[in-house]
Amino acid sequence: MLPALIKPEHFSRYPPLARELATSNIELLRRLPLAYVSLLLREMIAYDWKFPVERHEIARDLKFLGGLPNASFEREMAAFRSLKLTAELEAFDWVNSPAAFSEKLTAHLWATHQIDQFRSSAVAYMNHRNESTPDIVPPIPRLGIAVIGQGVRETKYPLFRKLRPHGVYFRQVKASNGLATLLNGVSARASRHAEPFAHWYVDGGGWATDHLPAGVTAVSYGALATVRAELQRQMQKAYESGMGAEAMRSLLARMRPEDVGFDVSKGDPVLNSFEATLLTEGSGTQVFATTFVQWAAREALRRAQPSTLLARFAPRQRERPMNELLEEAKHKPDLDPHGSLIDADMGAYYTWLNQQRLSGAQPARFLAWFEDHEEAVAIGPGFDPGKVSGEPVELASLLGRLSD
Amino acid sequence: MRANDISRTIASSRRDFLRLATGATLLSPEFALRAQSTDRANKRKVVVVTFGGGARDDETFMPGGQENIPHLISELIPRATFFSQVVNRGILGHYVATASLATGAYETFNNFASVPPDNPTVFEYFRRDRGRPAADAWVVAPSNGFHRIGESANKDYGPKYSAGVILPKRLLASALAGSGGTQYEHLLRDNYENPLHAPALAGNQIELQKIAEILKLSVDDFTHHARSLASPDELSVYVAKQLMRQLAPSLLWITLHDIDIAHSGTFSLYLEGIQRTDRLCAELWNTIQSLPEYAGKTNMFILPDFGRDSDTEPGGNGFQHHRTGDAVSRTTWMMALGAGIRENTVVSRPVESVDLVPSIGSILGFDARRSQGKPLREVG
């Protein structure tokens, strides 16, 4: 089926909010080329579990496209329309399975050497859209915090090499109760600027406090132990059945929160869905705590665009064969603190990069701290790029300067 | 910055680094080696090593990455002609990309499918054109997914001109059949493309005995030695060395894959993979120098199958994957060493990964007639 033939009843299996959104924009959807409409539907079908910013982004797309004069509309869509697709792709149920369609479309574009054209078309479209409709600017400058190195006594690994050129590298940071200081800082921002999903705390172990701060969205590898165990059990079963890589990926992509043990009668359905996708769509997030934190921070920034994010990395299990990694829940695994420090050092850099991709990058601030040690990097206004400071400084004071 | 500009910038930084670090000379575009006579081609041997699966400049040739490749920098590059801008325009999945390297044509099959390449492989060209026996062309490959790489589906070539393919992990699994083999599981991990997936390694007892005979290696010796190895690539190199000692094939292709642990998102394990691959490349070169059948008449080519996504590409997640098709993931390097090849030399003009097979053709004396690439005049 081609987009021009979409009818309201095609959306009957969509969740309520998504269905309403799709049917109320059906005229626009009919005008879009297949390669583009499937991308838009992939976002719309999950509308009921999207963060507020994501809903705004979908509305922004619809408003931008719906407001274009016909000639401009066709110009924006020309590159997508010129992609050569197949009858098989057209016959696929892309309305109800847009994610699966997207996988097939991607494979087709690679195989037919059209992926570069698709990529450049998507980038050009996003640039035009962003120029035409303003970004949401956060009410306060964004603040990202990465805490790395839990459990490492000493290291010769040169930390923060990629972050140092962008801020001040402090070599004498004093903190008697550093993590609590940072959590209090996050809590203070959340109470002053309360908004849903605007302040986040991600931990690679268990919670660092018995009382999670109010107004802060919290996600942790440890708190998801039961869910991960169930997912690992299902993955192990699929693995033993000889399931192929693509089939495994599709299986995971189809899983809903309740399929992996989330109690959907409790908690926030949007957060439940987010946590489930971290485990079903992430690669390595199911078995490596460091990967989980980096990916969770990336996805939180990309999707929820928070004002505040604290990402604390914890030691991951040592590398072992996949079937043993998947038995993490059954046997307490050996940990690899030093390897995890190196993972987290890169993860801190990626967290900063992902924060800087958001609106309000110029005044945004970032702090990376080697937990219970004296090394940190602070990035933001007032912190000269590439500077090194050997002066003693309190972590609380650094945080205060970044939060101003 | 456009993709071509990015590729040029990457190549330029590699070239500048090499000139500083090794005093390498820049080869003029007019340089060309003379064509090989059939007599010379008869004596030549070629070993190809893919520096896989997928390493970026950031962790290799860029400042901060060079510490991970001390052997390449201090031992191999001074002896090599280094191509600083090798572009891969194909699909960036390991099996299909390696198959494209081996055919000299951009293959378009599903990376996860168990299918042979559509175009003739370097092994088939070599064996058919030169009338060489099966024992003269071998592939040592990392995982089950690569078992069809020795021959193509092309009706003019195919099985009768194929290379022998050894999957060391499958051999080991077969040798361990029934014994549990828990001490070896670190050597049996398979596909990293999706780290959630580790397909069962089906061993074949007949194949095991046959290969053990070829390698002049008892199954006990094999399993005993395997116990001392740290990774699947170490197992592959061990098997490759046995092949060189016992059969001395003229064409040997070794696909390394440890680096692809990066898909798990663990940066430290990715770095360890690069460091190990660096060491194994030097080991192979030293083995070539130590064996009379190879020393002085062998060319070794080392190249990544492709790179990985850039840190700054928003559609990717940096080193973890190679999904965006950005310039960083498509632009790599290649070094050529050995007989008749200029040492300590950098070639900065852009070449393509599909140029490898026709270049080997000009050394070994075959015509890669269906390749999309061109012979590299600097290594012919």
Side-chain angles (χ1 to χ4, degrees), chain A residues 111 119 161 239 243 246 252 283 286 291 294 298 316 319 321-322 324 339 343 350 357, chain B residues 67 108 110 185 189 195-198 263-264 267-268 311 313 316-317 319-320 324 326:
Chain A
R119 201 167 153 267
R161 272 192 296 189
Y239 156 61
M243 182 177 280
E246 286 182 310
L252 290 169
S283 190
Q286 309 80 5
T291 304
Q294 188 271 320
R298 177 200 196 267
R316 61 163 166 78
E319 187 205 8
M322 183 54 71
E324 289 182 27
D343 298 350
Y350 280 5
R357 290 190 173 115
Chain B
E67 64 204 32
T108 57
N110 179 339
E185 284 181 339
R189 65 182 181 223
L196 310 179
H197 172 59
H263 281 299
S264 70
F267 189 66
S268 56
D311 288 342
E313 170 60 48
N317 192 37
F319 75 91
Q320 187 174 13
T324 67
D326 67 354

mmCIF file of all heavy atoms in Angstrom, chain A residues 111 119 161 239 243 246 252 283 286 291 294 298 316 319 321-322 324 339 343 350 357, chain B residues 67 108 110 185 189 195-198 263-264 267-268 311 313 316-317 319-320 324 326:
data_model
loop_
_atom_site.group_PDB
_atom_site.id
_atom_site.type_symbol
_atom_site.label_atom_id
_atom_site.label_comp_id
_atom_site.label_asym_id
_atom_site.label_seq_id
_atom_site.Cartn_x
_atom_site.Cartn_y
_atom_site.Cartn_z
ATOM 1 N N ALA A 111 21.772 -1.982 0.518
ATOM 2 C CA ALA A 111 22.050 -2.924 -0.579
ATOM 3 C C ALA A 111 22.004 -2.241 -1.938
ATOM 4 O O ALA A 111 22.674 -2.677 -2.876
ATOM 5 C CB ALA A 111 21.064 -4.084 -0.544
ATOM 6 N N ARG A 119 20.474 9.454 3.904
ATOM 7 C CA ARG A 119 21.075 10.135 5.054
ATOM 8 C C ARG A 119 21.163 11.637 4.813
ATOM 9 O O ARG A 119 20.762 12.447 5.651
ATOM 10 C CB ARG A 119 22.475 9.545 5.261
ATOM 11 C CG ARG A 119 23.045 9.731 6.613
ATOM 12 C CD ARG A 119 24.263 8.827 6.780
ATOM 13 N NE ARG A 119 25.136 9.437 7.742
ATOM 14 C CZ ARG A 119 26.118 10.235 7.413
ATOM 15 N NH1 ARG A 119 26.376 10.500 6.157
ATOM 16 N NH2 ARG A 119 26.866 10.762 8.359
ATOM 17 N N ARG A 161 40.892 12.885 29.005
ATOM 18 C CA ARG A 161 41.698 13.455 27.914
ATOM 19 C C ARG A 161 40.835 14.164 26.877
ATOM 20 O O ARG A 161 41.219 15.153 26.298
ATOM 21 C CB ARG A 161 42.511 12.356 27.229
ATOM 22 C CG ARG A 161 43.838 12.125 27.884
ATOM 23 C CD ARG A 161 44.735 11.258 27.039
ATOM 24 N NE ARG A 161 44.208 9.911 26.860
ATOM 25 C CZ ARG A 161 44.908 8.926 26.306
ATOM 26 N NH1 ARG A 161 46.109 9.145 25.838
ATOM 27 N NH2 ARG A 161 44.389 7.719 26.192
ATOM 28 N N TYR A 239 18.731 -17.804 22.286
ATOM 29 C CA TYR A 239 20.096 -18.124 21.875
ATOM 30 C C TYR A 239 20.267 -19.639 21.723
ATOM 31 O O TYR A 239 20.825 -20.140 20.748
ATOM 32 C CB TYR A 239 21.039 -17.521 22.909
ATOM 33 C CG TYR A 239 22.400 -18.136 23.056
ATOM 34 C CD1 TYR A 239 23.295 -18.156 22.001
ATOM 35 C CD2 TYR A 239 22.804 -18.662 24.277
ATOM 36 C CE1 TYR A 239 24.552 -18.705 22.146
ATOM 37 C CE2 TYR A 239 24.059 -19.210 24.438
ATOM 38 C CZ TYR A 239 24.923 -19.240 23.370
ATOM 39 O OH TYR A 239 26.152 -19.784 23.532
ATOM 40 N N MET A 243 18.446 -19.003 17.242
ATOM 41 C CA MET A 243 17.846 -17.868 16.553
ATOM 42 C C MET A 243 18.928 -16.975 15.938
ATOM 43 O O MET A 243 19.963 -16.722 16.541
ATOM 44 C CB MET A 243 17.017 -17.062 17.554
ATOM 45 C CG MET A 243 16.310 -15.878 16.959
ATOM 46 S SD MET A 243 15.304 -15.051 18.197
ATOM 47 C CE MET A 243 13.874 -16.104 18.232
ATOM 48 N N GLU A 246 19.304 -11.219 13.261
ATOM 49 C CA GLU A 246 18.221 -10.301 12.903
ATOM 50 C C GLU A 246 16.926 -10.682 13.615
ATOM 51 O O GLU A 246 16.180 -9.816 14.081
ATOM 52 C CB GLU A 246 18.001 -10.319 11.401
ATOM 53 C CG GLU A 246 19.085 -9.584 10.647
ATOM 54 C CD GLU A 246 18.816 -9.569 9.170
ATOM 55 O OE1 GLU A 246 18.555 -10.656 8.619
ATOM 56 O OE2 GLU A 246 18.852 -8.492 8.571
ATOM 57 N N LEU A 252 13.446 -8.712 20.258
ATOM 58 C CA LEU A 252 13.625 -7.740 21.335
ATOM 59 C C LEU A 252 12.857 -6.452 21.050
ATOM 60 O O LEU A 252 12.240 -5.870 21.944
ATOM 61 C CB LEU A 252 15.113 -7.433 21.517
ATOM 62 C CG LEU A 252 15.948 -8.572 22.104
ATOM 63 C CD1 LEU A 252 17.424 -8.271 22.000
ATOM 64 C CD2 LEU A 252 15.572 -8.807 23.554
ATOM 65 N N SER A 283 22.475 -2.076 22.899
ATOM 66 C CA SER A 283 23.381 -3.171 22.594
ATOM 67 C C SER A 283 24.404 -3.260 23.721
ATOM 68 O O SER A 283 25.194 -2.338 23.914
ATOM 69 C CB SER A 283 24.058 -2.860 21.263
ATOM 70 O OG SER A 283 24.763 -3.954 20.811
ATOM 71 N N GLN A 286 22.134 -4.938 28.468
ATOM 72 C CA GLN A 286 21.541 -6.004 29.269
ATOM 73 C C GLN A 286 22.552 -6.643 30.214
ATOM 74 O O GLN A 286 22.183 -7.226 31.229
ATOM 75 C CB GLN A 286 20.977 -7.115 28.361
ATOM 76 C CG GLN A 286 20.055 -6.634 27.271
ATOM 77 C CD GLN A 286 20.803 -6.077 26.064
ATOM 78 O OE1 GLN A 286 22.020 -6.128 25.990
ATOM 79 N NE2 GLN A 286 20.058 -5.522 25.118
ATOM 80 N N THR A 291 27.897 0.162 29.921
ATOM 81 C CA THR A 291 27.178 0.414 28.669
ATOM 82 C C THR A 291 25.767 0.908 28.977
ATOM 83 O O THR A 291 25.255 1.820 28.313
ATOM 84 C CB THR A 291 27.108 -0.877 27.824
ATOM 85 O OG1 THR A 291 28.429 -1.360 27.621
ATOM 86 C CG2 THR A 291 26.444 -0.629 26.482
ATOM 87 N N GLN A 294 25.914 4.646 29.950
ATOM 88 C CA GLN A 294 26.195 5.528 28.802
ATOM 89 C C GLN A 294 24.980 5.612 27.883
ATOM 90 O O GLN A 294 24.587 6.697 27.444
ATOM 91 C CB GLN A 294 27.417 4.989 28.035
ATOM 92 C CG GLN A 294 27.920 5.939 26.944
ATOM 93 C CD GLN A 294 27.257 5.718 25.592
ATOM 94 O OE1 GLN A 294 27.029 4.579 25.196
ATOM 95 N NE2 GLN A 294 26.928 6.790 24.887
ATOM 96 N N ARG A 298 22.542 8.801 27.136
ATOM 97 C CA ARG A 298 22.354 9.257 25.750
ATOM 98 C C ARG A 298 20.879 9.339 25.401
ATOM 99 O O ARG A 298 20.411 10.330 24.830
ATOM 100 C CB ARG A 298 23.046 8.274 24.797
ATOM 101 C CG ARG A 298 22.856 8.598 23.324
ATOM 102 C CD ARG A 298 23.118 7.362 22.477
ATOM 103 N NE ARG A 298 23.310 7.679 21.075
ATOM 104 C CZ ARG A 298 22.365 7.675 20.167
ATOM 105 N NH1 ARG A 298 21.120 7.403 20.512
ATOM 106 N NH2 ARG A 298 22.631 7.943 18.910
ATOM 107 N N ARG A 316 31.280 -2.819 35.818
ATOM 108 C CA ARG A 316 30.569 -3.851 35.055
ATOM 109 C C ARG A 316 31.200 -5.210 35.336
ATOM 110 O O ARG A 316 32.308 -5.291 35.879
ATOM 111 C CB ARG A 316 30.649 -3.560 33.550
ATOM 112 C CG ARG A 316 32.059 -3.532 33.011
ATOM 113 C CD ARG A 316 32.136 -3.663 31.499
ATOM 114 N NE ARG A 316 33.450 -3.302 30.997
ATOM 115 C CZ ARG A 316 34.519 -4.090 31.052
ATOM 116 N NH1 ARG A 316 34.438 -5.305 31.603
ATOM 117 N NH2 ARG A 316 35.679 -3.673 30.586
ATOM 118 N N GLU A 319 34.508 -9.440 31.109
ATOM 119 C CA GLU A 319 34.117 -10.052 29.856
ATOM 120 C C GLU A 319 34.154 -11.570 29.978
ATOM 121 O O GLU A 319 35.122 -12.143 30.493
ATOM 122 C CB GLU A 319 35.071 -9.633 28.728
ATOM 123 C CG GLU A 319 34.606 -10.105 27.384
ATOM 124 C CD GLU A 319 35.735 -10.247 26.387
ATOM 125 O OE1 GLU A 319 36.899 -10.121 26.770
ATOM 126 O OE2 GLU A 319 35.419 -10.502 25.212
ATOM 127 N N PRO A 321 32.082 -15.362 28.036
ATOM 128 C CA PRO A 321 31.217 -15.766 26.929
ATOM 129 C C PRO A 321 29.775 -15.310 27.170
ATOM 130 O O PRO A 321 29.343 -15.185 28.322
ATOM 131 C CB PRO A 321 31.314 -17.295 26.940
ATOM 132 C CG PRO A 321 32.587 -17.578 27.630
ATOM 133 C CD PRO A 321 32.788 -16.494 28.626
ATOM 134 N N MET A 322 29.038 -15.094 26.089
ATOM 135 C CA MET A 322 27.711 -14.507 26.206
ATOM 136 C C MET A 322 26.783 -15.317 27.106
ATOM 137 O O MET A 322 26.025 -14.758 27.896
ATOM 138 C CB MET A 322 27.095 -14.361 24.801
ATOM 139 C CG MET A 322 25.744 -13.689 24.775
ATOM 140 S SD MET A 322 25.722 -12.077 25.586
ATOM 141 C CE MET A 322 26.653 -11.111 24.416
ATOM 142 N N GLU A 324 27.495 -16.978 29.685
ATOM 143 C CA GLU A 324 27.810 -16.697 31.100
ATOM 144 C C GLU A 324 27.394 -15.287 31.484
ATOM 145 O O GLU A 324 26.892 -15.055 32.580
ATOM 146 C CB GLU A 324 29.307 -16.886 31.363
ATOM 147 C CG GLU A 324 29.741 -18.332 31.330
ATOM 148 C CD GLU A 324 31.218 -18.477 31.656
ATOM 149 O OE1 GLU A 324 31.762 -17.626 32.367
ATOM 150 O OE2 GLU A 324 31.820 -19.448 31.162
ATOM 151 N N GLY A 339 38.727 -1.691 33.998
ATOM 152 C CA GLY A 339 38.164 -1.626 32.638
ATOM 153 C C GLY A 339 36.944 -0.721 32.619
ATOM 154 O O GLY A 339 36.719 0.049 31.671
ATOM 155 N N ASP A 343 35.911 2.537 30.333
ATOM 156 C CA ASP A 343 34.592 2.639 29.664
ATOM 157 C C ASP A 343 33.902 3.947 30.066
ATOM 158 O O ASP A 343 33.352 4.664 29.234
ATOM 159 C CB ASP A 343 33.652 1.503 30.095
ATOM 160 C CG ASP A 343 34.152 0.119 29.725
ATOM 161 O OD1 ASP A 343 35.129 0.006 28.971
ATOM 162 O OD2 ASP A 343 33.550 -0.857 30.214
ATOM 163 N N TYR A 350 31.036 11.055 25.926
ATOM 164 C CA TYR A 350 29.847 10.914 25.072
ATOM 165 C C TYR A 350 28.637 11.617 25.701
ATOM 166 O O TYR A 350 27.798 12.174 24.997
ATOM 167 C CB TYR A 350 29.534 9.436 24.827
ATOM 168 C CG TYR A 350 30.407 8.810 23.752
ATOM 169 C CD1 TYR A 350 31.440 9.526 23.157
ATOM 170 C CD2 TYR A 350 30.201 7.514 23.328
ATOM 171 C CE1 TYR A 350 32.245 8.954 22.183
ATOM 172 C CE2 TYR A 350 31.001 6.937 22.338
ATOM 173 C CZ TYR A 350 32.021 7.662 21.779
ATOM 174 O OH TYR A 350 32.812 7.095 20.808
ATOM 175 N N ARG A 357 24.525 18.508 21.892
ATOM 176 C CA ARG A 357 23.707 18.429 20.672
ATOM 177 C C ARG A 357 22.340 19.082 20.867
ATOM 178 O O ARG A 357 21.602 19.309 19.911
ATOM 179 C CB ARG A 357 23.500 16.970 20.262
ATOM 180 C CG ARG A 357 24.754 16.331 19.759
ATOM 181 C CD ARG A 357 24.499 14.969 19.133
ATOM 182 N NE ARG A 357 25.738 14.523 18.524
ATOM 183 C CZ ARG A 357 26.434 13.465 18.915
ATOM 184 N NH1 ARG A 357 25.976 12.708 19.880
ATOM 185 N NH2 ARG A 357 27.572 13.159 18.327
ATOM 186 N N GLU B 67 49.200 4.945 20.931
ATOM 187 C CA GLU B 67 49.718 4.054 21.969
ATOM 188 C C GLU B 67 49.118 2.645 21.853
ATOM 189 O O GLU B 67 49.653 1.700 22.421
ATOM 190 C CB GLU B 67 49.392 4.636 23.353
ATOM 191 C CG GLU B 67 47.897 4.712 23.616
ATOM 192 C CD GLU B 67 47.527 5.773 24.659
ATOM 193 O OE1 GLU B 67 48.219 6.789 24.731
ATOM 194 O OE2 GLU B 67 46.529 5.555 25.369
ATOM 195 N N THR B 108 26.252 -7.052 -2.291
ATOM 196 C CA THR B 108 25.038 -6.410 -1.760
ATOM 197 C C THR B 108 24.124 -7.383 -1.013
ATOM 198 O O THR B 108 22.971 -7.079 -0.766
ATOM 199 C CB THR B 108 24.238 -5.752 -2.901
ATOM 200 O OG1 THR B 108 23.930 -6.736 -3.863
ATOM 201 C CG2 THR B 108 25.001 -4.617 -3.535
ATOM 202 N N ASN B 110 22.575 -9.730 2.118
ATOM 203 C CA ASN B 110 22.290 -9.514 3.538
ATOM 204 C C ASN B 110 23.479 -9.989 4.374
ATOM 205 O O ASN B 110 23.899 -11.141 4.286
ATOM 206 C CB ASN B 110 21.024 -10.312 3.906
ATOM 207 C CG ASN B 110 20.654 -10.167 5.369
ATOM 208 O OD1 ASN B 110 21.477 -9.823 6.213
ATOM 209 N ND2 ASN B 110 19.401 -10.438 5.668
ATOM 210 N N GLU B 185 35.809 -21.412 26.623
ATOM 211 C CA GLU B 185 34.665 -20.661 26.113
ATOM 212 C C GLU B 185 35.024 -19.251 25.667
ATOM 213 O O GLU B 185 34.372 -18.684 24.805
ATOM 214 C CB GLU B 185 33.544 -20.649 27.155
ATOM 215 C CG GLU B 185 32.837 -22.001 27.177
ATOM 216 C CD GLU B 185 31.705 -22.054 28.170
ATOM 217 O OE1 GLU B 185 31.719 -21.237 29.098
ATOM 218 O OE2 GLU B 185 30.844 -22.928 28.019
ATOM 219 N N ARG B 189 33.508 -17.451 21.524
ATOM 220 C CA ARG B 189 32.496 -16.429 21.301
ATOM 221 C C ARG B 189 32.470 -16.106 19.808
ATOM 222 O O ARG B 189 33.485 -16.111 19.123
ATOM 223 C CB ARG B 189 32.783 -15.186 22.136
ATOM 224 C CG ARG B 189 34.052 -14.508 21.731
ATOM 225 C CD ARG B 189 34.345 -13.305 22.589
ATOM 226 N NE ARG B 189 35.568 -12.701 22.103
ATOM 227 C CZ ARG B 189 36.549 -12.257 22.876
ATOM 228 N NH1 ARG B 189 36.462 -12.352 24.181
ATOM 229 N NH2 ARG B 189 37.622 -11.718 22.353
ATOM 230 N N PRO B 195 25.725 -8.276 19.779
ATOM 231 C CA PRO B 195 26.374 -8.980 20.884
ATOM 232 C C PRO B 195 25.410 -9.803 21.718
ATOM 233 O O PRO B 195 25.815 -10.539 22.600
ATOM 234 C CB PRO B 195 26.992 -7.858 21.711
ATOM 235 C CG PRO B 195 26.271 -6.642 21.325
ATOM 236 C CD PRO B 195 25.776 -6.835 19.935
ATOM 237 N N LEU B 196 24.117 -9.659 21.430
ATOM 238 C CA LEU B 196 23.155 -10.496 22.130
ATOM 239 C C LEU B 196 23.135 -11.893 21.531
ATOM 240 O O LEU B 196 22.581 -12.809 22.082
ATOM 241 C CB LEU B 196 21.749 -9.896 21.998
ATOM 242 C CG LEU B 196 21.630 -8.432 22.343
ATOM 243 C CD1 LEU B 196 20.208 -7.973 22.149
ATOM 244 C CD2 LEU B 196 22.073 -8.221 23.764
ATOM 245 N N HIS B 197 23.725 -11.987 20.373
ATOM 246 C CA HIS B 197 23.572 -13.205 19.613
ATOM 247 C C HIS B 197 24.889 -13.958 19.527
ATOM 248 O O HIS B 197 25.894 -13.407 19.131
ATOM 249 C CB HIS B 197 23.106 -12.846 18.203
ATOM 250 C CG HIS B 197 23.098 -14.008 17.268
ATOM 251 N ND1 HIS B 197 22.346 -15.116 17.513
ATOM 252 C CD2 HIS B 197 23.739 -14.219 16.105
ATOM 253 C CE1 HIS B 197 22.527 -15.982 16.505
ATOM 254 N NE2 HIS B 197 23.361 -15.460 15.660
ATOM 255 N N ALA B 198 24.888 -15.172 19.930
ATOM 256 C CA ALA B 198 26.081 -15.998 19.797
ATOM 257 C C ALA B 198 25.645 -17.357 19.271
ATOM 258 O O ALA B 198 25.284 -18.227 20.034
ATOM 259 C CB ALA B 198 26.773 -16.152 21.138
ATOM 260 N N HIS B 263 30.905 -3.532 19.808
ATOM 261 C CA HIS B 263 29.434 -3.500 19.755
ATOM 262 C C HIS B 263 28.807 -3.626 21.141
ATOM 263 O O HIS B 263 27.656 -3.263 21.336
ATOM 264 C CB HIS B 263 28.895 -4.626 18.869
ATOM 265 C CG HIS B 263 28.988 -4.320 17.415
ATOM 266 N ND1 HIS B 263 28.342 -3.255 16.832
ATOM 267 C CD2 HIS B 263 29.651 -4.944 16.413
ATOM 268 C CE1 HIS B 263 28.595 -3.237 15.538
ATOM 269 N NE2 HIS B 263 29.385 -4.247 15.256
ATOM 270 N N SER B 264 29.549 -4.179 22.092
ATOM 271 C CA SER B 264 28.998 -4.301 23.447
ATOM 272 C C SER B 264 29.036 -2.967 24.187
ATOM 273 O O SER B 264 28.518 -2.869 25.302
ATOM 274 C CB SER B 264 29.776 -5.352 24.239
ATOM 275 O OG SER B 264 31.074 -4.863 24.536
ATOM 276 N N PHE B 267 34.370 0.365 25.985
ATOM 277 C CA PHE B 267 35.504 0.992 25.304
ATOM 278 C C PHE B 267 36.815 0.293 25.650
ATOM 279 O O PHE B 267 37.689 0.125 24.799
ATOM 280 C CB PHE B 267 35.563 2.477 25.698
ATOM 281 C CG PHE B 267 36.550 3.278 24.910
ATOM 282 C CD1 PHE B 267 36.358 3.485 23.556
ATOM 283 C CD2 PHE B 267 37.658 3.836 25.518
ATOM 284 C CE1 PHE B 267 37.264 4.237 22.817
ATOM 285 C CE2 PHE B 267 38.570 4.590 24.789
ATOM 286 C CZ PHE B 267 38.377 4.790 23.438
ATOM 287 N N SER B 268 36.957 -0.127 26.901
ATOM 288 C CA SER B 268 38.220 -0.751 27.319
ATOM 289 C C SER B 268 38.448 -2.070 26.567
ATOM 290 O O SER B 268 39.585 -2.374 26.182
ATOM 291 C CB SER B 268 38.214 -1.010 28.829
ATOM 292 O OG SER B 268 37.101 -1.798 29.195
ATOM 293 N N ASP B 311 32.518 10.071 16.596
ATOM 294 C CA ASP B 311 31.928 10.576 17.844
ATOM 295 C C ASP B 311 30.925 11.691 17.573
ATOM 296 O O ASP B 311 29.988 11.887 18.346
ATOM 297 C CB ASP B 311 33.029 11.133 18.760
ATOM 298 C CG ASP B 311 33.877 10.033 19.369
ATOM 299 O OD1 ASP B 311 33.433 8.875 19.363
ATOM 300 O OD2 ASP B 311 34.987 10.339 19.837
ATOM 301 N N GLU B 313 28.939 12.091 14.953
ATOM 302 C CA GLU B 313 27.800 11.752 14.103
ATOM 303 C C GLU B 313 26.579 11.477 15.009
ATOM 304 O O GLU B 313 26.548 10.474 15.722
ATOM 305 C CB GLU B 313 28.150 10.509 13.276
ATOM 306 C CG GLU B 313 27.008 9.891 12.511
ATOM 307 C CD GLU B 313 26.374 10.837 11.510
ATOM 308 O OE1 GLU B 313 27.093 11.480 10.743
ATOM 309 O OE2 GLU B 313 25.134 10.942 11.520
ATOM 310 N N GLY B 316 24.770 8.001 15.300
ATOM 311 C CA GLY B 316 25.448 6.812 15.811
ATOM 312 C C GLY B 316 25.666 6.898 17.309
ATOM 313 O O GLY B 316 25.061 7.728 17.994
ATOM 314 N N ASN B 317 26.524 6.038 17.802
ATOM 315 C CA ASN B 317 26.929 6.125 19.213
ATOM 316 C C ASN B 317 28.436 5.936 19.286
ATOM 317 O O ASN B 317 28.950 5.093 20.012
ATOM 318 C CB ASN B 317 26.197 5.080 20.052
ATOM 319 C CG ASN B 317 26.372 5.326 21.551
ATOM 320 O OD1 ASN B 317 26.393 6.471 21.997
ATOM 321 N ND2 ASN B 317 26.518 4.256 22.334
ATOM 322 N N PHE B 319 32.175 4.941 18.852
ATOM 323 C CA PHE B 319 32.937 3.734 18.524
ATOM 324 C C PHE B 319 32.087 2.467 18.523
ATOM 325 O O PHE B 319 32.482 1.444 17.977
ATOM 326 C CB PHE B 319 34.084 3.560 19.534
ATOM 327 C CG PHE B 319 33.606 3.077 20.878
ATOM 328 C CD1 PHE B 319 33.546 1.712 21.161
ATOM 329 C CD2 PHE B 319 33.153 3.964 21.849
ATOM 330 C CE1 PHE B 319 33.077 1.259 22.388
ATOM 331 C CE2 PHE B 319 32.690 3.523 23.073
ATOM 332 C CZ PHE B 319 32.651 2.168 23.342
ATOM 333 N N GLN B 320 30.903 2.520 19.177
ATOM 334 C CA GLN B 320 30.180 1.267 19.421
ATOM 335 C C GLN B 320 29.761 0.550 18.134
ATOM 336 O O GLN B 320 29.864 -0.668 18.035
ATOM 337 C CB GLN B 320 28.948 1.522 20.297
ATOM 338 C CG GLN B 320 28.268 0.213 20.727
ATOM 339 C CD GLN B 320 27.123 0.397 21.709
ATOM 340 O OE1 GLN B 320 26.639 1.515 21.914
ATOM 341 N NE2 GLN B 320 26.683 -0.692 22.314
ATOM 342 N N THR B 324 26.081 4.270 10.630
ATOM 343 C CA THR B 324 25.633 5.506 9.993
ATOM 344 C C THR B 324 26.125 5.643 8.559
ATOM 345 O O THR B 324 25.535 6.381 7.776
ATOM 346 C CB THR B 324 26.134 6.742 10.770
ATOM 347 O OG1 THR B 324 27.551 6.814 10.672
ATOM 348 C CG2 THR B 324 25.734 6.660 12.239
ATOM 349 N N ASP B 326 28.851 7.086 7.812
ATOM 350 C CA ASP B 326 29.511 8.395 7.702
ATOM 351 C C ASP B 326 30.937 8.218 7.176
ATOM 352 O O ASP B 326 31.435 7.099 7.013
ATOM 353 C CB ASP B 326 29.498 9.133 9.051
ATOM 354 C CG ASP B 326 30.365 8.459 10.111
ATOM 355 O OD1 ASP B 326 30.890 7.358 9.867
ATOM 356 O OD2 ASP B 326 30.516 9.040 11.193
#
